[in-house]
mmCIF file of all heavy atoms in Angstrom:
data_model
loop_
_atom_site.group_PDB
_atom_site.id
_atom_site.type_symbol
_atom_site.label_atom_id
_atom_site.label_comp_id
_atom_site.label_asym_id
_atom_site.label_seq_id
_atom_site.Cartn_x
_atom_site.Cartn_y
_atom_site.Cartn_z
ATOM 1 N N TYR A 80 102.377 107.219 108.670
ATOM 2 C CA TYR A 80 103.473 107.754 107.815
ATOM 3 C C TYR A 80 104.825 107.530 108.522
ATOM 4 O O TYR A 80 105.814 107.108 107.886
ATOM 5 C CB TYR A 80 103.225 109.212 107.552
ATOM 6 C CG TYR A 80 104.368 109.941 106.960
ATOM 7 C CD1 TYR A 80 104.642 109.812 105.561
ATOM 8 C CD2 TYR A 80 105.261 110.704 107.727
ATOM 9 C CE1 TYR A 80 105.732 110.456 105.010
ATOM 10 C CE2 TYR A 80 106.347 111.356 107.209
ATOM 11 C CZ TYR A 80 106.549 111.231 105.831
ATOM 12 O OH TYR A 80 107.694 111.874 105.268
ATOM 13 N N ILE A 81 104.885 107.889 109.763
ATOM 14 C CA ILE A 81 106.114 107.782 110.500
ATOM 15 C C ILE A 81 106.563 106.321 110.700
ATOM 16 O O ILE A 81 107.717 105.940 110.564
ATOM 17 C CB ILE A 81 106.064 108.465 111.858
ATOM 18 C CG1 ILE A 81 105.839 109.985 111.689
ATOM 19 C CG2 ILE A 81 107.348 108.250 112.694
ATOM 20 C CD1 ILE A 81 105.524 110.770 112.973
ATOM 21 N N ASP A 82 105.565 105.432 110.992
ATOM 22 C CA ASP A 82 105.844 104.042 111.300
ATOM 23 C C ASP A 82 105.831 103.173 110.059
ATOM 24 O O ASP A 82 105.700 101.903 110.221
ATOM 25 C CB ASP A 82 104.816 103.517 112.324
ATOM 26 C CG ASP A 82 105.197 103.947 113.736
ATOM 27 O OD1 ASP A 82 106.307 104.485 113.924
ATOM 28 O OD2 ASP A 82 104.347 103.738 114.623
ATOM 29 N N ARG A 83 105.875 103.707 108.882
ATOM 30 C CA ARG A 83 105.730 102.889 107.706
ATOM 31 C C ARG A 83 106.799 101.840 107.585
ATOM 32 O O ARG A 83 106.547 100.727 106.995
ATOM 33 C CB ARG A 83 105.713 103.748 106.437
ATOM 34 C CG ARG A 83 106.980 104.582 106.209
ATOM 35 C CD ARG A 83 106.696 105.616 105.049
ATOM 36 N NE ARG A 83 107.871 106.397 104.720
ATOM 37 C CZ ARG A 83 108.327 107.428 105.393
ATOM 38 N NH1 ARG A 83 107.651 107.863 106.538
ATOM 39 N NH2 ARG A 83 109.383 108.098 105.014
ATOM 40 N N ASP A 84 108.019 102.034 108.108
ATOM 41 C CA ASP A 84 109.081 101.049 108.053
ATOM 42 C C ASP A 84 108.790 99.871 108.932
ATOM 43 O O ASP A 84 108.960 98.673 108.475
ATOM 44 C CB ASP A 84 110.424 101.686 108.375
ATOM 45 C CG ASP A 84 110.432 102.301 109.750
ATOM 46 O OD1 ASP A 84 109.329 102.742 110.239
ATOM 47 O OD2 ASP A 84 111.529 102.416 110.345
ATOM 48 N N ILE A 85 108.339 100.109 110.171
ATOM 49 C CA ILE A 85 108.091 98.949 111.059
ATOM 50 C C ILE A 85 106.769 98.350 110.736
ATOM 51 O O ILE A 85 106.560 97.164 111.042
ATOM 52 C CB ILE A 85 108.196 99.382 112.544
ATOM 53 C CG1 ILE A 85 107.108 100.410 112.887
ATOM 54 C CG2 ILE A 85 109.574 99.917 112.903
ATOM 55 C CD1 ILE A 85 107.139 100.759 114.363
ATOM 56 N N ASP A 86 105.829 99.078 110.187
ATOM 57 C CA ASP A 86 104.564 98.464 109.805
ATOM 58 C C ASP A 86 104.750 97.388 108.756
ATOM 59 O O ASP A 86 103.984 96.420 108.670
ATOM 60 C CB ASP A 86 103.559 99.536 109.251
ATOM 61 C CG ASP A 86 102.919 100.342 110.316
ATOM 62 O OD1 ASP A 86 103.071 99.990 111.492
ATOM 63 O OD2 ASP A 86 102.289 101.366 110.020
ATOM 64 N N ASP A 87 105.804 97.502 107.984
ATOM 65 C CA ASP A 87 106.102 96.570 106.920
ATOM 66 C C ASP A 87 106.587 95.227 107.459
ATOM 67 O O ASP A 87 106.547 94.199 106.749
ATOM 68 C CB ASP A 87 107.102 97.157 105.940
ATOM 69 C CG ASP A 87 107.157 96.391 104.620
ATOM 70 O OD1 ASP A 87 106.109 95.981 104.166
ATOM 71 O OD2 ASP A 87 108.299 96.234 104.090
ATOM 72 N N VAL A 88 107.085 95.173 108.671
ATOM 73 C CA VAL A 88 107.642 93.925 109.230
ATOM 74 C C VAL A 88 106.779 93.305 110.308
ATOM 75 O O VAL A 88 107.061 92.220 110.786
ATOM 76 C CB VAL A 88 109.094 94.177 109.763
ATOM 77 C CG1 VAL A 88 109.979 94.641 108.673
ATOM 78 C CG2 VAL A 88 109.062 95.161 110.951
ATOM 79 N N MET A 89 105.745 94.020 110.758
ATOM 80 C CA MET A 89 104.848 93.524 111.761
ATOM 81 C C MET A 89 103.643 92.867 111.124
ATOM 82 O O MET A 89 102.972 93.445 110.265
ATOM 83 C CB MET A 89 104.440 94.606 112.738
ATOM 84 C CG MET A 89 105.565 95.159 113.606
ATOM 85 S SD MET A 89 105.042 96.553 114.672
ATOM 86 C CE MET A 89 103.946 95.677 115.790
ATOM 87 N N ALA A 90 103.311 91.621 111.546
ATOM 88 C CA ALA A 90 102.230 90.862 110.888
ATOM 89 C C ALA A 90 100.946 91.569 110.953
ATOM 90 O O ALA A 90 100.132 91.593 110.015
ATOM 91 C CB ALA A 90 102.157 89.478 111.562
ATOM 92 N N ARG A 91 100.606 92.233 112.099
ATOM 93 C CA ARG A 91 99.307 92.853 112.213
ATOM 94 C C ARG A 91 99.188 94.184 111.539
ATOM 95 O O ARG A 91 98.098 94.795 111.523
ATOM 96 C CB ARG A 91 98.926 93.000 113.719
ATOM 97 C CG ARG A 91 99.731 94.047 114.504
ATOM 98 C CD ARG A 91 99.434 93.986 115.951
ATOM 99 N NE ARG A 91 100.122 95.081 116.691
ATOM 100 C CZ ARG A 91 99.611 96.292 116.871
ATOM 101 N NH1 ARG A 91 98.359 96.552 116.461
ATOM 102 N NH2 ARG A 91 100.294 97.196 117.566
ATOM 103 N N THR A 92 100.267 94.714 110.944
ATOM 104 C CA THR A 92 100.196 96.052 110.320
ATOM 105 C C THR A 92 100.692 96.102 108.884
ATOM 106 O O THR A 92 100.562 97.105 108.235
ATOM 107 C CB THR A 92 101.027 97.082 111.144
ATOM 108 O OG1 THR A 92 102.404 96.599 111.200
ATOM 109 C CG2 THR A 92 100.527 97.254 112.547
ATOM 110 N N ARG A 93 101.224 94.936 108.409
ATOM 111 C CA ARG A 93 101.856 94.994 107.049
ATOM 112 C C ARG A 93 100.838 95.197 105.933
ATOM 113 O O ARG A 93 101.273 95.449 104.807
ATOM 114 C CB ARG A 93 102.670 93.732 106.885
ATOM 115 C CG ARG A 93 101.907 92.426 106.815
ATOM 116 C CD ARG A 93 102.774 91.313 106.243
ATOM 117 N NE ARG A 93 103.981 91.202 107.040
ATOM 118 C CZ ARG A 93 104.292 90.061 107.764
ATOM 119 N NH1 ARG A 93 103.469 89.024 107.781
ATOM 120 N NH2 ARG A 93 105.381 90.014 108.485
ATOM 121 N N LEU A 94 99.557 95.050 106.175
ATOM 122 C CA LEU A 94 98.568 95.289 105.124
ATOM 123 C C LEU A 94 97.926 96.684 105.212
ATOM 124 O O LEU A 94 96.977 96.943 104.513
ATOM 125 C CB LEU A 94 97.442 94.229 105.237
ATOM 126 C CG LEU A 94 97.890 92.766 104.954
ATOM 127 C CD1 LEU A 94 96.673 91.833 105.017
ATOM 128 C CD2 LEU A 94 98.569 92.656 103.585
ATOM 129 N N ARG A 95 98.514 97.557 106.004
ATOM 130 C CA ARG A 95 98.045 98.947 106.057
ATOM 131 C C ARG A 95 98.257 99.599 104.698
ATOM 132 O O ARG A 95 99.036 99.090 103.869
ATOM 133 C CB ARG A 95 98.741 99.706 107.140
ATOM 134 C CG ARG A 95 98.304 99.414 108.505
ATOM 135 C CD ARG A 95 99.110 100.149 109.575
ATOM 136 N NE ARG A 95 98.515 100.044 110.875
ATOM 137 C CZ ARG A 95 99.084 100.501 112.049
ATOM 138 N NH1 ARG A 95 100.225 101.193 111.967
ATOM 139 N NH2 ARG A 95 98.455 100.395 113.209
ATOM 140 N N PRO A 96 97.600 100.741 104.387
ATOM 141 C CA PRO A 96 97.722 101.328 103.060
ATOM 142 C C PRO A 96 99.115 101.644 102.553
ATOM 143 O O PRO A 96 99.370 101.453 101.336
ATOM 144 C CB PRO A 96 96.960 102.624 103.269
ATOM 145 C CG PRO A 96 95.904 102.300 104.269
ATOM 146 C CD PRO A 96 96.635 101.390 105.258
ATOM 147 N N ILE A 97 100.052 102.020 103.424
ATOM 148 C CA ILE A 97 101.429 102.337 102.905
ATOM 149 C C ILE A 97 102.191 101.047 102.633
ATOM 150 O O ILE A 97 102.698 100.848 101.462
ATOM 151 C CB ILE A 97 102.181 103.291 103.843
ATOM 152 C CG1 ILE A 97 101.521 104.651 103.875
ATOM 153 C CG2 ILE A 97 103.630 103.445 103.384
ATOM 154 C CD1 ILE A 97 102.160 105.640 104.843
ATOM 155 N N PRO A 98 102.478 100.197 103.635
ATOM 156 C CA PRO A 98 103.252 99.012 103.365
ATOM 157 C C PRO A 98 102.678 98.081 102.269
ATOM 158 O O PRO A 98 103.420 97.419 101.577
ATOM 159 C CB PRO A 98 103.328 98.294 104.704
ATOM 160 C CG PRO A 98 102.232 98.819 105.497
ATOM 161 C CD PRO A 98 102.081 100.229 105.018
ATOM 162 N N SER A 99 101.359 98.112 102.086
ATOM 163 C CA SER A 99 100.739 97.285 101.072
ATOM 164 C C SER A 99 100.802 97.905 99.658
ATOM 165 O O SER A 99 100.518 97.244 98.670
ATOM 166 C CB SER A 99 99.254 97.047 101.373
ATOM 167 O OG SER A 99 98.537 98.265 101.284
ATOM 168 N N GLY A 100 101.233 99.195 99.605
ATOM 169 C CA GLY A 100 101.409 99.868 98.314
ATOM 170 C C GLY A 100 100.173 100.505 97.796
ATOM 171 O O GLY A 100 100.201 101.025 96.688
ATOM 172 N N ARG A 101 99.117 100.537 98.546
ATOM 173 C CA ARG A 101 97.840 101.098 98.043
ATOM 174 C C ARG A 101 97.891 102.623 98.111
ATOM 175 O O ARG A 101 97.122 103.307 97.341
ATOM 176 C CB ARG A 101 96.662 100.575 98.819
ATOM 177 C CG ARG A 101 96.468 99.043 98.716
ATOM 178 C CD ARG A 101 95.102 98.608 99.202
ATOM 179 N NE ARG A 101 94.743 99.078 100.548
ATOM 180 C CZ ARG A 101 95.111 98.516 101.689
ATOM 181 N NH1 ARG A 101 95.939 97.438 101.636
ATOM 182 N NH2 ARG A 101 94.771 99.005 102.823
ATOM 183 N N MET A 102 98.644 103.223 99.011
ATOM 184 C CA MET A 102 98.812 104.677 99.053
ATOM 185 C C MET A 102 100.254 105.006 99.253
ATOM 186 O O MET A 102 101.019 104.200 99.896
ATOM 187 C CB MET A 102 97.964 105.255 100.204
ATOM 188 C CG MET A 102 96.458 105.122 100.031
ATOM 189 S SD MET A 102 95.497 105.944 101.359
ATOM 190 C CE MET A 102 95.854 107.720 100.973
ATOM 191 N N SER A 103 100.686 106.148 98.803
ATOM 192 C CA SER A 103 102.055 106.579 98.961
ATOM 193 C C SER A 103 102.196 107.313 100.334
ATOM 194 O O SER A 103 101.211 107.828 100.877
ATOM 195 C CB SER A 103 102.437 107.562 97.881
ATOM 196 O OG SER A 103 101.784 108.799 98.026
ATOM 197 N N PRO A 104 103.400 107.332 100.897
ATOM 198 C CA PRO A 104 103.687 108.013 102.175
ATOM 199 C C PRO A 104 103.242 109.479 102.084
ATOM 200 O O PRO A 104 102.664 110.009 103.046
ATOM 201 C CB PRO A 104 105.132 107.898 102.358
ATOM 202 C CG PRO A 104 105.502 106.614 101.610
ATOM 203 C CD PRO A 104 104.647 106.603 100.431
ATOM 204 N N THR A 105 103.443 110.110 100.987
ATOM 205 C CA THR A 105 103.129 111.545 100.808
ATOM 206 C C THR A 105 101.604 111.782 100.890
ATOM 207 O O THR A 105 101.128 112.696 101.507
ATOM 208 C CB THR A 105 103.622 112.131 99.481
ATOM 209 O OG1 THR A 105 105.072 111.933 99.440
ATOM 210 C CG2 THR A 105 103.312 113.584 99.354
ATOM 211 N N GLN A 106 100.898 110.917 100.253
ATOM 212 C CA GLN A 106 99.406 110.997 100.304
ATOM 213 C C GLN A 106 98.903 110.830 101.714
ATOM 214 O O GLN A 106 98.013 111.587 102.188
ATOM 215 C CB GLN A 106 98.762 109.942 99.442
ATOM 216 C CG GLN A 106 98.963 110.128 97.937
ATOM 217 C CD GLN A 106 98.425 108.935 97.124
ATOM 218 O OE1 GLN A 106 98.645 107.766 97.489
ATOM 219 N NE2 GLN A 106 97.730 109.247 96.036
ATOM 220 N N VAL A 107 99.483 109.858 102.468
ATOM 221 C CA VAL A 107 99.003 109.610 103.850
ATOM 222 C C VAL A 107 99.334 110.828 104.760
ATOM 223 O O VAL A 107 98.531 111.256 105.569
ATOM 224 C CB VAL A 107 99.677 108.319 104.406
ATOM 225 C CG1 VAL A 107 99.362 108.148 105.861
ATOM 226 C CG2 VAL A 107 99.132 107.093 103.626
ATOM 227 N N LEU A 108 100.569 111.353 104.608
ATOM 228 C CA LEU A 108 100.988 112.501 105.427
ATOM 229 C C LEU A 108 100.089 113.674 105.116
ATOM 230 O O LEU A 108 99.611 114.397 106.050
ATOM 231 C CB LEU A 108 102.421 112.838 105.133
ATOM 232 C CG LEU A 108 102.980 114.081 105.853
ATOM 233 C CD1 LEU A 108 102.956 113.861 107.377
ATOM 234 C CD2 LEU A 108 104.427 114.373 105.431
ATOM 235 N N ALA A 109 99.790 113.957 103.826
ATOM 236 C CA ALA A 109 98.947 115.085 103.473
ATOM 237 C C ALA A 109 97.535 114.937 104.042
ATOM 238 O O ALA A 109 96.961 115.912 104.515
ATOM 239 C CB ALA A 109 98.930 115.194 101.949
ATOM 240 N N PHE A 110 97.021 113.731 103.976
ATOM 241 C CA PHE A 110 95.687 113.507 104.535
ATOM 242 C C PHE A 110 95.674 113.725 106.019
ATOM 243 O O PHE A 110 94.728 114.368 106.544
ATOM 244 C CB PHE A 110 95.280 112.052 104.235
ATOM 245 C CG PHE A 110 93.991 111.658 104.829
ATOM 246 C CD1 PHE A 110 92.735 112.176 104.374
ATOM 247 C CD2 PHE A 110 93.938 110.769 105.913
ATOM 248 C CE1 PHE A 110 91.564 111.794 104.890
ATOM 249 C CE2 PHE A 110 92.718 110.397 106.481
ATOM 250 C CZ PHE A 110 91.533 110.895 105.966
ATOM 251 N N GLY A 111 96.721 113.281 106.717
ATOM 252 C CA GLY A 111 96.751 113.477 108.197
ATOM 253 C C GLY A 111 96.831 114.933 108.586
ATOM 254 O O GLY A 111 96.126 115.392 109.465
ATOM 255 N N ILE A 112 97.641 115.708 107.880
ATOM 256 C CA ILE A 112 97.812 117.140 108.202
ATOM 257 C C ILE A 112 96.494 117.888 107.841
ATOM 258 O O ILE A 112 96.095 118.781 108.555
ATOM 259 C CB ILE A 112 98.963 117.669 107.388
ATOM 260 C CG1 ILE A 112 100.285 117.122 107.930
ATOM 261 C CG2 ILE A 112 98.992 119.222 107.496
ATOM 262 C CD1 ILE A 112 101.539 117.496 107.089
ATOM 263 N N PHE A 113 95.860 117.484 106.754
ATOM 264 C CA PHE A 113 94.592 118.095 106.359
ATOM 265 C C PHE A 113 93.556 117.909 107.424
ATOM 266 O O PHE A 113 92.820 118.867 107.795
ATOM 267 C CB PHE A 113 94.120 117.585 105.009
ATOM 268 C CG PHE A 113 92.745 118.004 104.637
ATOM 269 C CD1 PHE A 113 92.461 119.257 104.151
ATOM 270 C CD2 PHE A 113 91.682 117.111 104.809
ATOM 271 C CE1 PHE A 113 91.129 119.648 103.896
ATOM 272 C CE2 PHE A 113 90.352 117.506 104.544
ATOM 273 C CZ PHE A 113 90.142 118.792 104.073
ATOM 274 N N CYS A 114 93.407 116.681 107.934
ATOM 275 C CA CYS A 114 92.424 116.372 108.925
ATOM 276 C C CYS A 114 92.680 117.194 110.204
ATOM 277 O O CYS A 114 91.728 117.778 110.815
ATOM 278 C CB CYS A 114 92.438 114.918 109.254
ATOM 279 S SG CYS A 114 91.717 113.833 108.001
#
Side-chain angles (χ1 to χ4, degrees):
Y80 168 79
I81 296 173
D82 280 351
R83 61 191 183 279
D84 57 332
I85 63 175
D86 281 351
D87 195 37
V88 300
M89 294 177 66
R91 70 187 186 91
T92 58
R93 63 167 59 116
L94 295 182
R95 284 176 170 177
I97 294 179
S99 67
R101 300 195 306 276
M102 293 185 69
S103 71
T105 302
Q106 290 174 320
V107 172
L108 178 61
F110 176 71
I112 293 175
F113 170 77
C114 287

